């Protein structure tokens, strides 16, 4: 709803009141229209201020309403009526004015913002465009180029920048509503013509602006359609009269509104919020579990992961002890951490925060920290030794966390005297850049430990997902099968380029073979050696392309043995101009190697089309996602999807693997998995998961109902 009051006799004050973000639900839109009309009718009222309750102007249209038929007054005539009014209307912006909220403010004649407020048109991130005049009014206010940038990226703009761009007229550190009221009174009687953005003429945009932006977007958007529609809408603002531009905006929105991409992106928005509401098998959940404050943390190991974690902690203002026993590594780690922090300081025009880090070689220095993150390399013996020592050195209420991508958290917890204080914190490389954090709860992890790790993740700006303990947790457990299928496709006749092209066309930023070259083929080699799939631990009685009773491709191992480790050695699945080169080129040598390999093992190359690449790679990954849900390792499909979108480059406009399965149709996924399982009986994980079968038997319910078919989550090895 919206509340109405009269201040100082002549100011009509309209307050949006729809917690938590004053979204423009149909009730709110109805109330605003009514209150504005009332203020305009009242002869005592000479000016109007629109604000939001509880320190938030407005988070935009109510996204939950998009799933059903839209009711209530539309935004466009409501905003037009405000702009056309004969009494000055001032928007008092606190907190945020996003999407429809900013469009409402753009319909007002003046905008006053609190200095901490943010404004923006983030519709593009929901697969939409600002269709309440935003694409037509913003360019008339800021000029075309800045508006185009803001609308196509959905970037949030802090009040001081909004002032520079002309989006707001004044920024204040005082009470924003009071300042806006005084301001409104001061402009009574002044002509409003110039303040009506729809009447403003647009100056010519720079030559080639739209063509250049379109080209950049097509390259960056990976198949997303909303950014392209945003360019077209802003182009209409620059080339057509206001009314015709509005018609174009409306038509473009109509195509986007019901698109699968918009549904996927809106699902992603709520999925990201839902993972913060975690629950454990023992019934503990985020609603009742209190996190403990972390003032001092420690990171053990200053390799790539450790350095990134130290930087993340410092950026969040947490003081860190960074510990490394190897003197050379300590020196390099220190240099790199400081370099990143100095770059940060330069960017934000602030002092570097290196004073928050204390570098040391001594574990005993960790006696007083609240939380430790061990980030040494993946070696269980080494990690156990560290955890035993930590258990003795750290204060009794310190949390002990391990940054592991696959190792057993319970096994580590068991060597400490405080298994309830142990959780996994699986960061993704580079840890100061990547958004995802898997918080792995073990059998004994206390709700407080999970809550603290989740809360810390939030403070570090991560999207944190609580997951159960199993080899590879959620992300890597699924990824393993995706990678394996890609290798099998090479054995059967594909090239790395064909596989990558299909995946990139689907929307991945990089195909799997390019990713493998980037991270280094030796990473997976180490893991496979550890798992006894290659190297000393192999049972050589099995045929060469079979390990542990099932199909295995030794292709990647053979490349590693040749020293072809990817970008760093200038050869891997692709060829690079020099070691460390970034530009992959098809490698004829690799193609010949594949031909020889196939001939050696009597494999007949066949033509593999893009559909097969996608189905084999993605459906096997999705099938494992269903197994993970069935096992209770992830508590809902949203958890799996958030992990894939934020940690594994799954295109956001496709929602995530489980959402994609829902979109494709569960019976189709089941049917194709059955087909591939029959064709490849030596690949057990192609056998459709019991949960997938159950869902199909129950009429393929939509993804929001899948939780009803799940067992309770539990930790599981
Ligand atoms: C025909 C179509 C007509 C008009 C179209 C208009 C276009 C739009 O306006 S589309 C919406 C554009 N707005 C946005 O994209 C903003 C989305 N929200 C946010 O970015 C953030 O929520 C925030 C406003 C910055 C607040 O952040 P924070 O304080 O971190 O809280 P959250 O946990 O994110 O949100 C709290 C709570 O509010 C729900 N919520 C937020 N925004 C909306 C919204 N616009 N509609 C409905 N609900 C919203 C959010 O889901 C959270 O609720 P949970 O129950 O916890 O999920």
């Amino acid at each position: 709803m919206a509340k109405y009051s009269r201040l100082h006799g002549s100011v009509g004050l309209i307050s949006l009141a729809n917690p938590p973000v004053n979204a423009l639900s149909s009730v709110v839109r109805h109330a605003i229209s009514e209150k504005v009309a009332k203020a305009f009718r009242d002869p005592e009222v000479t000016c109007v201020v629109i604000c939001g309750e509880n320190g938030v102007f407005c988070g935009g249209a109510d996204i939950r309403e998009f799933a059903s038929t839209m009711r209530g007054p539309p935004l466009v005539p409501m905003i037009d009526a405000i702009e056309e009014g004969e009494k000055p209307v001032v928007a008092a912006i606190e907190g945020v004015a996003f999407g429809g909220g900013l469009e409402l403010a753009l319909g007002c004649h003046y905008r006053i913002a609190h200095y901490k407020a943010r404004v923006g048109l983030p519709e593009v991130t929901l697969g939409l465009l600002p269709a309440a005049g935003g694409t037509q009014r913003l360019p008339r206010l800021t000029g075309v180029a800045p508006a185009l940038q803001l609308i196509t990226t959905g970037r949030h703009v802090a009040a001081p920048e909004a002032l520079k761009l002309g989006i707001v007229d004044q920024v204040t550190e005082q009470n924003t509503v009071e300042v806006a009221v005084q301001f409104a009174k001061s402009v009574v009687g002044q002509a409003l013509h110039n303040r009506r953005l729809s009447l403003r003429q647009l100056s010519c945009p720079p030559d080639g602006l739209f063509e250049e932006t379109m080209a950049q977007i097509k390259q960056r958007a990976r198949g997303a359609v909303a950014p392209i529609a945003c360019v077209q809408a802003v182009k209409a603002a620059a080339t057509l009269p206001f009314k015709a531009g509005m018609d174009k905006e409306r038509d473009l929105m109509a195509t986007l509104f019901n698109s699968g991409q918009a549904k996927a992106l809106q699902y992603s928005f709520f999925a990201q919020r839902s993972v913060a509401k975690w629950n454990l098998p023992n019934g503990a959940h985020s609603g009742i579990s209190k996190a403990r404050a972390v003032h001092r943390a420690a990171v053990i190991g200053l390799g790539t992961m450790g350095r990134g974690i130290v930087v993340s902690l410092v950026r969040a203002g947490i003081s860190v002890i960074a510990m490394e026993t190897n003197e050379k590594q300590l020196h390099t780690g220190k240099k790199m951490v400081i370099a990143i922090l100095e770059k940060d300081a330069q960017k934000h025009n602030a002092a570097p925060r290196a004073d928050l880090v204390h570098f040391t070689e001594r574990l005993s220095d960790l006696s007083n920290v609240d939380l430790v993150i061990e980030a040494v390399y993946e070696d269980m013996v080494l990690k156990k030794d560290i955890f035993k020592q930590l258990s003795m050195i750290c204060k009794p209420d310190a949390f002990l966390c391990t940054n592991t991508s696959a190792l057993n958290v319970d096994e580590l917890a068991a060597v400490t005297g405080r298994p309830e204080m142990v959780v996994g914190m699986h960061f993704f490389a580079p840890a100061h850049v990547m958004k995802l954090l898997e918080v792995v709860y073990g059998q004994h992890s206390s709700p407080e430990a999970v809550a603290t790790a989740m809360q810390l993740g939030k403070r570090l700006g991560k999207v944190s997902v609580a997951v159960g303990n199993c080899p590879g947790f959620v992300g890597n457990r699924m990824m393993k099968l995706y990678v394996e299928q890609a290798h099998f496709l090479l054995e059967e006749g594909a090239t790395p380029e064909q596989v990558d092209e299909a995946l990139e066309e689907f929307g991945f930023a990089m195909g799997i073979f390019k990713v493998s070259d980037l991270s280094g083929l030796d990473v997976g080699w180490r893991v496979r050696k550890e798992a006894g799939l290659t190297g000393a631990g192999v049972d050589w009685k099995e045929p060469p392309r079979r390990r542990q009773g099932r199909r295995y491709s030794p292709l990647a191992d053979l490349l590693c043995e040749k020293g072809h480790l990817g970008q760093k050695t200038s050869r891997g699945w692709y060829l690079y101009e020099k070691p460390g080169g970034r530009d992959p080129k098809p490698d004829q040598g690799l193609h010949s190697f594949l031909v020889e390999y196939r001939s050696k093992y009597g494999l007949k190359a066949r033509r593999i089309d893009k559909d097969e690449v996608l189905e084999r790679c993605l459906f096997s990954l999705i099938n494992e996602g269903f197994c993970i849900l069935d096992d209770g390792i992830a508590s809902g499909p949203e958890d799996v999807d958030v992990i894939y979108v934020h940690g594994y480059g799954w295109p956001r406009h496709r929602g995530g693997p489980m959402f994609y399965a829902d979109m494709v149709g569960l019976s189709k996924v089941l049917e194709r998995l059955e087909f591939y399982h029959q064709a490849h009986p030596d690949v057990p994980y192609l056998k459709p998961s019991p949960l997938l079968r159950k869902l199909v038997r129950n009429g393929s319910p939509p993804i929001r109902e899948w939780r009803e078919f799940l067992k309770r989550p539990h930790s599981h090895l």
Side-chain angles (χ1 to χ4, degrees):
M1 61 178 282
K3 294 179 184 163
Y4 181 73
S5 53
R6 277 245 312 260
L7 293 182
H8 310 288
S10 64
V11 185
L13 180 69
I14 300 170
S15 304
L16 278 51
N18 183 18
V21 302
N22 296 325
L24 295 166
S25 64
S26 63
V27 176
V28 174
R29 297 198 303 275
H30 187 266
I32 297 173
S33 303
E34 202 182 72
K35 309 303 187 221
V36 168
K38 182 173 170 164
F40 284 174
R41 269 197 318 268
D42 186 342
E44 304 286 313
V45 170
T46 55
C47 56
V48 179
V49 171
I50 302 182
C51 64
E53 286 205 328
N54 299 320
V56 180
F57 181 71
C58 176
D62 187 338
I63 306 165
R64 290 187 201 275
E65 283 187 352
F66 294 172
S68 53
T69 320
M70 298 287 281
R71 293 174 206 284
L75 276 177
V76 170
M78 181 186 101
I79 293 170
D80 285 350
I82 293 171
E83 193 191 68
E84 283 159 16
E86 293 304 328
K87 299 177 184 177
V89 183
V90 181
I93 302 173
E94 293 174 315
V96 298
F98 284 160
L102 180 57
E103 290 176 299
L104 168 65
L106 294 176
C108 297
H109 305 108
Y110 300 92
R111 287 154 293 280
I112 310 286
H114 189 256
Y115 77 108
K116 284 190 174 163
R118 287 174 299 150
V119 303
L121 293 173
E123 284 86 340
V124 70
T125 64
L126 298 169
L128 305 174
L129 54 73
T135 65
Q136 305 303 300
R137 284 194 176 89
L138 190 65
R140 286 175 161 80
L141 186 58
T142 61
V144 178
L148 187 62
Q149 199 269 340
L150 293 183
I151 292 169
T152 53
T153 59
R155 183 165 75 84
H156 298 175
V157 179
E161 188 190 348
L163 182 66
K164 280 191 200 140
L165 288 170
I167 301 175
V168 299
D169 301 290
Q170 193 178 315
V171 168
T172 179
E173 292 187 22
Q174 319 287 316
N175 180 312
T176 315
V177 177
E178 278 171 20
V179 173
V181 166
Q182 291 310 326
F183 183 92
K185 284 167 73 176
S186 74
V187 293
V188 171
Q190 290 184 15
L192 289 177
H193 186 83
N194 267 342
R195 306 300 310 176
R196 297 188 176 110
L197 298 179
S198 66
L199 302 182
R200 286 206 187 159
Q201 293 301 314
L202 254 176
S203 49
C204 259
D207 275 353
L209 175 70
F210 293 110
E211 292 71 17
E212 264 169 44
T213 311
M214 195 62 107
Q216 281 165 10
I217 279 176
K218 282 193 173 152
Q219 214 192 15
R220 206 180 51 206
R222 303 195 260 145
V225 290
I228 293 170
C230 287
V231 179
Q232 290 166 335
V234 177
K235 189 170 180 189
T239 50
L240 300 173
F242 183 78
K243 167 78 179 63
M246 288 296 286
D247 290 346
K248 181 78 181 171
E249 181 189 91
R250 184 201 57 221
D251 293 347
L252 287 164
M253 177 64 153
T255 349
L256 294 179
F257 196 70
N258 292 313
S259 68
Q261 293 197 3
K263 288 190 176 69
L265 287 159
Q266 288 156 30
Y267 160 84
S268 259
F269 174 84
F270 289 114
Q272 193 177 325
R273 276 140 190 93
S274 84
V275 296
K277 295 166 192 154
W278 51 269
N279 43 66
L280 297 191
N282 59 13
H285 57 84
S286 51
I288 53 167
S289 309
K290 219 167 158 332
R292 201 127 49 71
V294 175
H295 301 293
R296 279 179 308 266
V299 175
I300 304 178
L302 282 184
T304 316
M305 290 309 293
R307 290 170 209 157
I309 298 170
V310 171
V311 170
S312 298
L313 288 161
V314 172
R315 280 180 181 164
I318 297 169
S319 89
V320 188
I321 298 183
M323 190 261 163
E324 169 63 63
T325 45
N326 178 311
E327 199 183 325
K328 191 165 162 236
Q329 182 107 309
L330 178 68
H331 178 73
T332 318
K334 184 174 177 178
K335 226 167 80 182
M336 293 187 86
V337 165
I338 290 173
I340 300 174
L341 294 175
E342 276 173 354
K343 213 164 153 194
D344 279 3
Q346 256 172 13
K347 192 168 151 197
H348 299 114
N349 210 6
R353 321 241 9 220
D355 55 317
L356 283 175
V357 201
H358 169 67
F359 294 90
T360 180
E361 284 180 59
R362 290 189 307 265
L363 205 59
S364 56
D365 286 357
L366 274 54
S367 60
N368 206 22
V369 297
D370 304 315
L371 179 142
V372 181
I373 303 174
E374 163 277 308
V376 301
Y377 57 88
E378 295 284 50
D379 176 338
M380 188 49 115
V381 176
L382 174 64
K383 284 187 189 251
K384 274 186 177 168
D385 181 46
I386 292 171
F387 270 68
K388 255 189 222 158
Q389 294 189 56
L390 287 175
S391 180
M392 289 183 285
I393 291 169
C394 293
K395 59 183 185 180
D397 60 350
F399 297 103
L400 307 181
C401 310
T402 174
N403 170 57
T404 171
S405 60
L407 296 181
N408 186 346
V409 173
D410 286 333
E411 212 178 311
L412 275 180
V415 302
T416 71
R418 55 178 102 174
E420 73 287 358
M421 309 291 282
V422 176
V423 284
M425 288 182 86
H426 177 204
F427 288 85
F428 288 70
H432 59 296
V433 176
M434 292 293 286
K435 282 294 240 186
L436 181 65
L437 175 69
E438 282 183 325
V439 171
V440 188
Y441 54 84
Q443 254 177 50
H444 302 288
S445 305
S446 68
E448 193 188 32
V450 178
T452 304
M454 290 292 285
Q455 174 68 35
L456 179 61
K458 188 172 176 192
R459 217 173 139 193
L460 303 186
K462 306 290 176 203
V463 179
S464 312
V465 186
V467 298
N469 185 22
C470 70
F473 316 128
V474 172
N476 284 349
R477 176 168 155 184
M478 289 165 71
M479 188 69 179
K480 186 166 171 259
L481 316 183
Y482 166 80
V483 173
E484 247 187 49
Q485 282 299 317
H487 291 179
F488 293 162
L489 288 166
L490 297 194
E491 291 188 335
E492 292 166 38
T495 60
E497 299 84 284
Q498 280 168 350
V499 174
D500 281 356
E501 193 184 317
L503 295 169
E504 286 165 19
E505 257 178 38
F506 178 79
F508 281 97
M510 267 189 185
I512 187 61
F513 291 108
K514 285 185 191 156
V515 171
S516 170
D517 275 357
L518 175 68
S519 30
L521 273 72
D522 48 331
V523 176
W525 197 26
R526 246 196 322 270
V527 176
R528 291 191 298 278
K529 279 184 189 160
E530 186 95 356
L533 288 165
T534 190
V538 173
D539 171 7
W540 294 111
K541 280 190 220 104
E542 282 190 301
R545 291 178 42 255
R546 245 184 119 78
R547 300 287 149 87
Q548 299 171 359
R550 59 192 188 90
R551 181 172 172 185
Y552 178 79
S553 168
L555 271 173
D557 301 334
L558 295 172
L559 290 188
C560 289
E561 283 164 19
K562 283 152 143 318
H564 295 186
L565 304 181
Q567 291 187 359
K568 58 185 160 195
T569 60
S570 82
R571 287 190 87 168
W573 301 107
Y574 292 89
L575 190 63
Y576 300 84
E577 73 283 11
K578 57 173 195 274
R582 293 287 173 94
D583 187 18
K585 296 270 186 309
D587 183 355
Q588 291 314 319
L590 188 272
H591 293 175
S592 312
F593 163 71
L594 287 176
V595 172
E596 282 163 29
Y597 174 90
R598 290 182 200 119
S599 128
K600 179 172 170 191
Y601 292 112
L603 298 164
K604 199 159 176 287
R606 61 185 174 85
R607 207 189 136 269
I608 293 172
D609 64 18
K610 286 186 179 167
D611 283 349
E612 181 173 350
V613 173
L614 292 183
E615 287 180 350
R616 292 270 298 276
C617 292
L618 304 185
F619 288 4
S620 51
L621 176 141
I622 286 167
N623 196 37
E624 194 63 16
F626 281 113
C627 295
I628 281 171
L629 290 174
D630 225 3
D631 291 352
I633 294 297
S635 62
E638 297 84 358
D639 300 52
V640 176
D641 285 339
V642 167
I643 286 173
Y644 261 78
V645 166
H646 292 280
Y648 292 84
W650 186 281
R652 220 173 113 85
H653 61 270
R654 290 192 189 266
M658 308 322 284
F659 182 87
Y660 179 65
D662 186 29
M663 278 284 191
V664 169
L666 297 186
S667 31
K668 164 144 191 219
V669 176
L670 175 61
E671 183 241 302
R672 297 309 290 157
L673 280 166
E674 274 169 342
F675 170 82
Y676 288 119
H677 187 229
Q678 241 175 36
H680 306 275
D682 51 354
V683 184
Y685 56 76
L686 287 171
K687 184 174 176 193
S689 95
L691 175 62
L692 173 58
R693 287 190 186 284
K694 186 161 141 191
L695 289 168
V696 173
R697 261 198 323 275
N698 282 277
S700 300
I703 194 164
R704 63 175 178 278
E705 291 172 18
W706 291 3
R707 278 179 195 252
E708 291 162 29
F709 296 85
L710 302 181
K711 297 173 229 146
R712 289 182 65 77
H714 62 282
S715 199
H716 195 276
L717 276 161

